[in-house]
């Protein structure tokens, strides 16, 4: 019986074998072509009953009582199962290792295809992780947060009093009391509709009829001690009090005024469970003197009037805080508001406000429960990447941190772990605080701490998401086009760093000059760090030239024009020139590099493999259909098996295909069973034909596009390609000259020197035109065989060029000219 996929025992001619022997150690012989390898027994999976990779003993528990009509095939199957089960543990270990297989854990230095495939797998897994983290990040915020913040700002910050005082227009203590007793109380307490009809919400206030005021508002102030600064001796008689700017060490903690009550007694930050606040002028502690307002507008007005009448604010007051929180159940958002009025040592007032709209209660709607699933997936991904980084760190040790991408991986994982811990802490803290607030509704609801950390949590997630998007460059850097950015920045980093030193020397010199010239009059130059950002804005074209000129009519224009000339027109353009030149060099080098295996090549290979697998399945169905047509009305298993064995199918697959349709188990397929098999096979064949047709059309289109692209790209030849071709032509000319010199030596030894000289030109012309004419003169074989004999007998010490000539003779022998024997040498004489 003829075997499938057989190879001839030897496909090398005697002339080639002789040539390989003569070349000796200088030749490289590919052993794969020297003989037929032993046939490997491979199982061909069928479309009827594909065999699993691992056989489990539990699969046959329900079949112990049934007789097996195929004992021979069952023994083969058992042997196959035993071999597979012996390597089960090692396969599981390999699968686990492959789950965390990356370009850093696998040896991909010598295998470009493995590198591309591993990178592609990492990219696909990371895209799933990126989608998950995007859902988590955007699930915590929405566009309604902005509108919630806006309406609260318009109500509490921009609403004027009867005298036209708004919060932002507060300029002294008198304006402060006017605001608190007017717009503040009107905005905090909403207990009736616009037609004075009651809201029927009890004592609770619902701002804008939708936002519940949580607890009661709190007013808190911080003071500094008297005599905290020194008065000059010339003014000691006129000025007896001195209150310095605010600092923790100079904070006043003594009782004053009415003494009784929280508004007149100092409380520490620990007692109030407060936190620091970063104001416009200083950073203030969480302690101080505080007064909690009442549940109704009338009672709160009485408390504020009492504070006003007893001079609660005085010389030492440096800051006043108004804190309260609201909750909107429609959108499940908290709005934590803090209004701050700072009273500097210079006098006057500087108002500022802070409104944090956050989502503290997470799980209410179906979308929130979907986010829970995303959070679980996120935790699984973080655990997966932690194990991956540990494996990579174990392999590469401290050299792992030499790559910026590896450091970025660690940063992303650390931020994610912190986010998970805070999420758990936030949930527990909010539940505890809300439970206490529901029990005592007339106390101050301090959500400032949670709102602050929730904001930091959102900021951290934003930074983490930014880094996560940047990390995509790590996985797409195997493509030449994608490496242009990273290669350009890496190559010009040294030049940019050196030039940046010179740039910032000039930049900071102008910043100090602007601060000293305009700091007393222009707000954008009032502090040194404001000068730095102002100069960056000047580079971008955002500046106030009139304010600069008004502050200093002589040095102002000089400062502006010299700064724009040196920094914008000179230094900044030198930055761009460095990057532009480096990019041109990188692009030129990438264009001259040899094309390596790309992602598109992997996709095409997978496409072709799928096409061939479908075609193989279709051929197997055709084989079974032929076996059915060769039988009679009743087809025995023996005849069915012999027919398919001749076609190269395995025994256990033949048994599986036959037993599937042998319903009575008598090892004979009757007419009905054959018709069932034919019908099912025809359906599968039609389905595979349609799939092959569609796949073939797409494959043909992609192939045509690739050919068109190759034809288009072959029209133009670059300078580097032309020089390479010229070099190859020169090498071929040198090899041909060396070969002709060796031919002269051999002809001289054979006594053919005279005839060789007369016919030298003719022989040379024949060698150059032999490929076009597709024929060889009889003397050509004579010369070549004598060349081989001369080399074998004398074995002279040739130069490196002689080696090229020897290889050249082998090249001519592969063309396919007829073999010449030693007797043919007499024909030349």
């Amino acid at each position: 019986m003829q075997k499938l996929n057989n190879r001839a025992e030897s496909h090398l001619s005697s002339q080639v074998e002789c040539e390989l022997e003569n070349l000796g150690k200088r030749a490289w012989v590919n052993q794969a072509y020297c003989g037929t390898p032993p046939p490997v027994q491979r199982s061909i999976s069928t479309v009827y009953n594909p065999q699993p990779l691992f056989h489990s003993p539990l699969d046959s528990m329900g079949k112990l009582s049934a007789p097996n009509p195929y004992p021979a095939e069952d023994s083969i199957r058992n042997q196959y199962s035993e071999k597979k089960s012996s390597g089960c543990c090692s396969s599981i270990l390999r699968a686990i290792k492959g789950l965390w297989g990356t370009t850093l854990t696998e040896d991909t230095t010598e295998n470009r295809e493995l590198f591309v495939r591993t990178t592609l797998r990492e990219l696909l897994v990371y895209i799933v992780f990126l989608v998950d983290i995007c859902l988590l990040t955007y699930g915590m915020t929405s566009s309604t947060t902005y509108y919630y913040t806006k309406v609260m700002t318009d109500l509490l910050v921009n609403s004027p009093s009867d005298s036209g005082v708004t919060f932002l227009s507060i300029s002294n203590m008198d304006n402060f009391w006017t605001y608190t007793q007017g717009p503040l109380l009107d905005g905090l307490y909403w207990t009736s509709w616009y037609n004075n009809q009651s809201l029927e919400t009890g004592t609770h206030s619902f701002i804008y009829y939708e936002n519940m005021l949580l607890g009661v508002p709190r007013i808190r102030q911080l003071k500094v001690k008297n005599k905290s600064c020194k008065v000059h001796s010339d003014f000691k008689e006129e000025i007896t009090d001195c209150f310095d700017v605010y600092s923790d060490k100079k904070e006043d903690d003594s009782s004053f005024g009415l003494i009784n009550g929280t508004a007149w007694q100092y409380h520490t930050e620990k007692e109030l469970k407060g936190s620091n606040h970063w104001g416009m002028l200083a950073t203030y502690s969480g302690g101080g003197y505080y007064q909690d307002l009442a549940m109704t507008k009338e009672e709160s007005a009485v408390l504020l009037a009492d504070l006003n009448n007893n001079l609660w604010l005085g010389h030492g007051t440096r800051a006043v805080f108004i804190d309260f929180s609201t909750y909107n159940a429609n959108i499940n958002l908290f709005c934590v508001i803090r209004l701050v009025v700072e009273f500097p040592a210079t006098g006057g007032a500087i108002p500022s406000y802070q409104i944090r709209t956050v989502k503290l209660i997470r799980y209410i709607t179906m979308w929130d429960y979907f986010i829970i699933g995303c959070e679980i997936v996120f935790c699984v991904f973080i655990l997966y990447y932690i194990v991956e980084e540990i494996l990579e760190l174990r392999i590469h040790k401290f050299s792992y941190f030499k790559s910026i991408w590896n450091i970025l991986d660690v940063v992303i994982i650390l931020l994610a772990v912190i986010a998970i811990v805070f999420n758990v802490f936030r949930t527990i803290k909010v539940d505890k605080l809300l439970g206490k607030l529901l029990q005592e509704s007339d106390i101050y609801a301090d959500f400032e701490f949670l709102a602050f950390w929730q904001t930091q949590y959102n900021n951290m997630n934003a930074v983490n998401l930014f880094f996560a998007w940047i990390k995509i460059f790590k996985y797409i850097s195997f493509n030449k086009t994608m490496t242009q950015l990273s290669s350009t920045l890496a190559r010009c980093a040294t030049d940019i760093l050196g030039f940046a030193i010179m740039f910032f020397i000039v930049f900071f010199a102008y910043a100090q000059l602007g601060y000293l010239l305009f700091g007393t009059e222009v707000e954008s130059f009032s502090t040194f760090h404001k000068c730095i950002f102002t100069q960056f804005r000047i580079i971008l074209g955002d500046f106030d030239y009139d304010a600069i000129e008004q502050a200093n009519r002589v040095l102002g224009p000089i400062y502006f024009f010299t700064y724009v000339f040196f920094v914008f027109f000179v230094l900044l353009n030198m930055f761009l020139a460095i990057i532009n030149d480096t990019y041109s060099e990188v692009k030129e080098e990438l264009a001259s590099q040899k094309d390596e295996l790309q992602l598109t090549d992997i996709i095409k290979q997978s496409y072709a493999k799928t096409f061939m697998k479908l075609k193989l399945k279709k051929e197997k169905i055709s084989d079974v259909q032929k076996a059915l047509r060769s039988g009679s009305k009743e087809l025995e298993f023996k005849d069915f098996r012999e027919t398919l064995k001749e076609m190269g199918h395995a025994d256990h697959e033949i048994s599986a295909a036959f037993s599937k349709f042998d319903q009575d188990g008598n090892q004979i397929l009757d007419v009905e069973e054959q018709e069932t098999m034919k019908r099912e096979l025809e359906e599968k064949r039609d389905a595979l034909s349609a799939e092959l047709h569609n796949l073939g059309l797409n494959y043909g289109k992609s192939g045509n596009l690739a050919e068109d692209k190759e034809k288009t790209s072959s029209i133009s030849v670059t300078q580097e390609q032309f020089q390479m071709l010229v070099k190859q032509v020169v090498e071929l000319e040198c090899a041909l000259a060396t070969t002709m010199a060796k031919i002269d030596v051999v002809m001289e030894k054979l006594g053919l020197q005279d005839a060789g000289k007369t016919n030298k030109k003719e022989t040379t012309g024949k060698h150059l035109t032999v490929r076009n004419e597709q024929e060889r003169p009889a003397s050509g074989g004579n010369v070549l065989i004598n060349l081989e004999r001369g080399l074998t007998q004398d074995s002279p010490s040739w130069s490196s060029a002689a080696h090229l000539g020897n290889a050249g003779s082998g090249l001519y022998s592969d063309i396919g000219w007829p073999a010449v024997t030693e007797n043919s040498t007499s024909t030349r004489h």
Side-chain angles (χ1 to χ4, degrees):
M1 183 176 59
Q2 184 181 359
K3 298 182 180 178
L4 298 175
N5 299 328
N6 59 347
R7 185 191 296 269
E9 294 182 357
S10 177
H11 62 280
L12 298 175
S13 64
S14 59
Q15 182 179 354
V16 177
E17 292 176 350
C18 178
E19 177 186 343
L20 293 176
E21 291 177 359
N22 292 332
L23 290 177
K25 297 182 180 180
R26 294 190 302 268
W28 176 78
V29 181
N30 190 347
Q31 299 296 335
Y33 295 96
C34 292
T36 302
V40 180
Q41 298 294 335
R42 298 186 182 274
S43 300
I44 305 176
S45 62
T46 63
V47 295
Y48 322 107
N49 190 12
Q51 299 295 323
L53 184 59
F54 305 109
H55 293 272
S56 174
L58 299 177
D59 297 340
S60 58
M61 289 182 63
K63 303 178 182 179
L64 294 177
S65 60
N68 188 2
Y70 315 106
E73 289 74 12
D74 186 66
S75 62
I76 297 175
R77 190 178 303 174
N78 291 336
Q79 295 176 2
Y80 178 79
S81 177
E82 291 176 359
K83 293 179 181 179
K84 290 297 183 181
S85 60
S86 62
C88 180
C89 296
S90 59
S91 299
I92 293 176
L93 293 176
R94 288 195 300 269
I96 295 175
K97 182 180 178 182
L99 184 63
W100 280 278
T102 64
T103 54
L104 294 179
T105 58
E106 302 288 342
D107 187 10
T108 59
T109 55
E110 301 296 334
N111 193 338
R112 177 67 181 179
E113 182 177 358
L114 178 60
F115 173 78
V116 175
R117 291 183 179 274
T118 304
T119 305
L120 180 60
R121 186 189 63 81
E122 289 185 69
L123 177 60
L124 294 178
V125 174
Y126 187 75
I127 288 177
V128 178
F129 169 74
L130 188 61
V131 171
D132 183 70
I133 193 176
C134 286
L135 290 175
L136 288 179
T137 305
Y138 289 107
M140 294 182 300
T141 183
S142 65
S143 59
T144 55
T145 56
Y146 165 75
Y147 295 107
Y148 194 9
T149 304
K150 183 178 183 300
V151 296
M152 299 303 290
T153 303
D154 293 339
L155 176 65
L156 300 169
V157 177
N158 299 327
S159 297
S161 64
D162 295 337
S163 58
V165 176
T166 63
F167 176 77
L168 293 179
S169 65
I170 295 176
S171 59
N172 51 50
M173 293 182 181
D174 185 31
N175 293 150
F176 172 80
W177 290 116
T178 302
Y179 168 78
T180 55
Q181 293 175 334
L184 179 63
L185 292 180
D186 294 338
L188 287 177
Y189 297 99
W190 293 54
T191 57
S192 61
W193 287 95
Y194 49 84
N195 60 354
N196 295 325
Q197 183 180 352
S198 177
L199 287 176
E200 297 180 358
T201 57
T203 57
H204 292 288
S205 172
F206 281 82
I207 302 174
Y208 280 124
Y209 314 115
E210 303 292 344
N211 306 287
M212 179 181 178
L213 180 63
L214 300 177
V216 296
R218 170 174 290 182
I219 298 180
R220 177 174 60 93
Q221 76 157 321
L222 289 172
K223 303 178 63 177
V224 294
K225 299 177 181 178
N226 191 7
K227 309 297 183 181
S228 57
C229 54
K230 294 183 178 180
V231 181
H232 194 270
S233 58
D234 295 339
F235 297 95
K236 281 186 177 181
E237 294 182 1
E238 291 81 7
I239 302 176
T240 58
D241 298 331
C242 185
F243 297 88
D244 202 355
V245 296
Y246 177 84
S247 67
D248 293 339
K249 297 180 179 179
K250 300 177 180 180
E251 186 175 333
D252 189 5
D253 57 357
S254 60
S255 300
F256 73 101
L258 300 180
I259 299 178
N260 295 326
T262 58
W264 313 97
Q265 296 178 354
Y266 180 82
H267 300 79
T268 63
E269 180 177 326
K270 184 177 181 181
E271 293 174 348
L272 297 179
K273 297 180 181 180
S275 58
N276 293 340
H277 177 81
W278 185 14
M280 301 293 292
L281 301 178
T283 300
Y284 303 97
S285 68
Y289 309 86
Y290 74 93
Q291 175 65 60
D292 290 339
L293 301 183
M295 295 290 294
T296 63
K297 180 179 179 180
E298 292 76 12
E299 294 178 356
S300 298
V302 172
L303 293 175
L304 290 176
D306 185 56
L307 295 177
N308 186 12
N309 296 331
N310 292 278
L311 293 177
W312 190 60
L313 301 181
H315 285 292
T317 302
R318 288 294 174 261
V320 178
F321 303 88
I322 304 174
D323 298 310
F324 56 95
S325 303
T326 62
Y327 173 70
N328 190 311
N330 300 331
I331 54 179
N332 188 28
L333 290 177
F334 288 81
C335 189
V336 183
I337 303 171
R338 168 168 284 184
L339 306 177
V340 183
V341 180
E342 299 176 69
F343 298 95
T346 59
I350 301 176
S352 61
Y353 64 95
Q354 183 175 280
I355 299 178
R356 293 191 174 103
T357 303
V358 292
K359 187 176 182 180
L360 298 178
I361 301 177
R362 295 293 305 277
Y363 313 116
I364 295 180
T365 63
M366 291 299 297
W367 172 256
D368 295 333
Y369 288 107
F370 172 74
I371 295 298
I372 291 180
C374 294
E375 289 176 348
I376 296 174
V377 174
F378 178 76
C379 295
V380 172
F381 268 111
I382 294 303
L383 180 62
Y384 169 82
Y385 283 117
I386 288 176
V387 176
E388 180 181 292
E389 300 306 317
I390 291 175
L391 293 176
E392 294 177 354
L393 186 60
R394 181 180 179 184
I395 295 174
H396 298 279
K397 307 298 181 183
F398 291 102
S399 61
Y400 169 82
F401 295 101
K402 292 182 179 180
S403 174
I404 187 64
W405 299 116
N406 297 335
I407 298 176
L408 185 61
D409 291 341
V410 175
V411 171
I412 292 175
I413 292 175
L414 290 178
L415 292 177
V417 171
I418 295 174
I420 293 173
V421 173
F422 176 78
N423 199 11
V424 175
F425 167 77
R426 184 268 317 280
T427 303
I428 297 175
K429 191 71 175 177
V430 170
D431 292 341
K432 182 179 179 181
L433 186 59
L434 286 179
K436 183 178 180 181
L437 181 63
L438 292 176
Q439 294 177 358
E440 304 178 17
S441 59
D442 58 344
I443 62 174
Y444 166 67
D446 187 8
F447 285 91
E448 176 63 29
F449 176 79
L450 285 177
F452 171 78
W453 285 109
Q454 178 66 36
T455 304
Q456 306 309 315
Y457 172 75
N458 295 339
N459 296 338
M460 180 179 61
N461 285 337
V463 174
N464 201 13
L465 183 61
F466 169 78
F467 287 149
W469 277 102
I470 296 299
K471 187 183 172 182
I472 294 182
F473 285 101
K474 173 183 178 181
Y475 300 111
I476 63 176
S477 59
F478 62 87
N479 187 278
K480 290 199 302 183
T481 304
M482 300 301 177
T483 56
Q484 292 183 7
L485 175 62
S486 58
S487 300
T488 301
L489 295 179
R491 179 170 297 186
C492 67
T494 305
D495 295 336
I496 288 181
L497 181 61
F499 186 76
I501 297 176
M502 179 175 61
F503 175 83
F504 283 106
I505 288 176
V506 178
F507 186 83
F508 285 121
Y510 273 100
Q512 293 181 1
L513 177 62
Y515 172 67
L516 296 175
L517 291 178
F518 321 117
T520 58
E521 298 185 32
V522 184
E523 181 182 2
S524 58
F525 288 89
S526 58
T527 60
F528 182 71
H529 74 274
K530 285 186 178 181
C531 290
I532 295 175
F533 288 104
T534 300
Q535 292 189 156
F536 280 118
R537 291 170 58 185
I538 292 177
I539 294 177
L540 299 176
D542 181 15
F543 55 87
D544 187 1
Y545 175 76
D546 293 335
I548 295 175
E549 185 180 19
Q550 185 177 358
N552 196 317
R553 298 172 61 184
V554 177
L555 296 179
I558 296 176
Y559 160 84
F560 181 79
F561 286 113
T562 56
Y563 173 78
V564 170
F565 176 78
F566 285 108
V567 176
F568 183 77
F569 288 106
V570 179
L571 298 180
L572 187 61
N573 283 280
M574 288 185 68
F575 263 121
L576 299 178
I578 293 173
I579 297 176
N580 190 29
D581 292 344
T582 307
Y583 175 75
S584 300
E585 295 175 1
V586 170
K587 189 174 182 180
E588 184 178 355
E589 291 182 2
L590 291 177
S592 62
Q593 287 181 0
K594 180 182 178 181
D595 291 335
E596 295 179 332
L597 187 66
Q598 300 296 330
L599 179 60
T600 55
D601 300 329
I602 298 296
I603 296 176
K604 290 180 180 179
Q605 292 176 6
S606 302
Y607 198 83
K609 289 180 181 178
T610 304
F611 186 85
M612 295 305 298
K613 287 180 181 179
L614 292 176
K615 189 174 181 181
L616 182 60
K617 287 183 179 180
K618 183 179 178 182
E619 292 176 354
K620 292 175 183 177
I621 294 176
S622 300
D623 293 341
V624 179
Q625 289 178 336
K626 291 179 182 178
L628 290 175
R629 286 194 294 267
S630 64
S632 58
K633 293 183 179 180
E634 293 184 350
L635 179 61
E636 295 184 359
F637 173 72
K638 181 179 180 181
D639 298 334
F640 184 80
R641 178 176 176 273
E642 290 179 355
T643 304
L644 291 181
K645 284 282 288 184
E646 292 178 357
M647 297 179 182
H649 293 269
D651 289 332
H652 68 278
E653 294 186 344
I654 299 173
S655 302
F658 193 90
S659 61
K660 180 178 180 181
F661 298 95
D662 186 12
Q663 298 179 358
D664 51 8
N666 59 354
Q667 300 191 27
I668 297 176
L669 293 180
D670 54 21
V671 177
E672 183 179 355
E673 292 173 342
Q674 292 184 38
E675 290 297 330
T676 303
M677 178 181 284
K678 289 179 181 179
R679 184 169 58 255
E680 185 172 341
L681 290 175
E682 193 64 30
E683 293 176 357
K684 292 182 179 180
R685 180 180 176 85
D686 294 340
L688 286 174
S689 298
E691 189 173 356
L692 275 172
H693 179 71
N694 296 331
L695 193 62
L697 290 178
N698 297 331
Y699 185 70
K701 291 179 181 179
S702 62
N704 294 334
L705 291 175
E707 292 177 0
D708 295 340
K709 184 177 180 180
E710 291 178 359
K711 291 179 181 179
T712 305
S713 61
S714 62
I715 296 176
S716 61
V717 179
T718 61
Q719 183 69 19
E720 292 80 8
Q721 293 175 348
F722 179 78
Q723 293 178 358
M724 188 180 299
L725 292 174
V726 171
K727 183 178 180 181
Q728 292 177 357
V729 172
V730 173
E731 291 177 355
L732 289 175
E733 290 178 351
C734 295
L736 184 59
T738 305
T739 303
M740 298 304 300
K742 290 172 60 179
I743 290 175
D744 290 341
V745 174
V746 175
M747 292 173 63
E748 182 180 359
K749 290 185 178 182
L750 296 177
L752 302 176
Q753 183 65 29
D754 296 334
K757 289 181 179 180
T758 57
N759 297 327
K760 185 174 182 180
K761 295 182 179 179
E762 180 181 357
T763 305
T764 304
K766 290 179 180 180
H767 277 288
L768 294 176
T769 59
V770 65
R771 292 184 181 272
N772 296 329
E773 296 177 357
Q774 297 296 324
E775 64 180 5
R776 178 190 181 198
S779 61
N782 191 8
V783 172
L784 289 175
I785 195 64
N786 288 329
L787 172 62
E788 296 293 341
R789 293 181 59 187
L791 293 173
T792 306
Q793 293 175 1
D794 297 338
S795 300
S797 178
W798 302 100
S799 61
S800 60
H803 289 284
L804 291 174
N806 197 359
S809 64
L811 176 63
Y812 284 110
S813 64
D814 290 338
I815 296 176
W817 288 347
V820 182
T821 61
E822 295 181 3
N823 296 331
S824 62
T825 57
S826 60
T827 60
R828 183 65 181 264
H829 300 287

